[in-house]
């Protein structure tokens, strides 16, 4: 990441405004569109921590956006289901945990927890299947 490409704080701009302007730039620079850290930043001693921060912000932003829409009275039940399906498909426990924390409505918290539980159950099943296959291959 070249210092010339990083937006600089403008004269008279307070630090909070600058951070809000800088955050999307860093997220776009350091992350792939799916929220994974770009290879060049994964283990970078200079920028690795910033990349991890960008990823956490990405998950937090997704969680807040999902919760805002889930808790909006104008959101249809079909749209709510689609939002939850998208979260389940992404399968990011951190995003779901942040969504539970961001939710002010207990029903929203419960919906997200169910999705997270389903993902955790699927992961456990995959782990058990992989272990079973490994064991069977050892016996052959």
């Amino acid at each position: 990441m070249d210092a010339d490409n990083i937006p600089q704080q403008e004269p008279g701009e307070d630090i909070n405004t600058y951070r809000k302007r800088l955050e999307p730039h860093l997220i776009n620079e350091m992350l792939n569109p799916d929220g994974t850290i770009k290879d060049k930043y994964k283990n970078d001693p200079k920028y690795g921590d910033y990349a991890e921060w960008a990823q956490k912000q990405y998950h937090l932003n997704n969680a807040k956006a999902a919760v805002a829409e889930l808790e909006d009275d104008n959101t249809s039940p079909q749209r709510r289901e689609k939002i939850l399906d998208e979260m389940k498909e992404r399968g990011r426990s951190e995003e779901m945990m942040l969504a539970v924390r961001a939710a002010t409505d207990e029903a929203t918290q419960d919906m997200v927890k169910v999705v997270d539980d389903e993902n955790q159950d699927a992961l456990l099943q995959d782990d058990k299947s992989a272990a079973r296959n490994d064991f069977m291959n050892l016996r052959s």
Side-chain angles (χ1 to χ4, degrees), residues 74-135:
N74 296 317
T75 302
S76 70
Q78 295 84 4
R79 177 64 186 143
R80 282 189 179 94
E81 197 64 37
K82 184 170 171 51
I83 293 165
L84 293 168
D85 286 345
E86 289 168 354
M87 291 179 82
K88 185 175 182 177
E89 188 175 302
R90 286 190 296 272
R92 296 197 175 104
S93 291
E94 182 176 23
E95 179 183 336
M96 290 183 232
M97 182 254 326
L98 292 167
V100 169
R101 288 183 182 174
T104 58
D105 182 60
E106 192 172 322
T108 302
Q109 292 173 341
D110 290 343
M111 286 187 285
V112 174
K113 286 178 184 177
V114 166
V115 170
D116 191 30
D117 288 346
E118 289 171 357
N119 277 353
Q120 295 302 319
D121 289 346
L123 286 173
L124 287 173
Q125 278 305 112
D126 289 348
D127 287 348
K128 286 180 183 176
S129 294
R132 191 176 309 113
N133 287 342
D134 287 347
F135 176 74

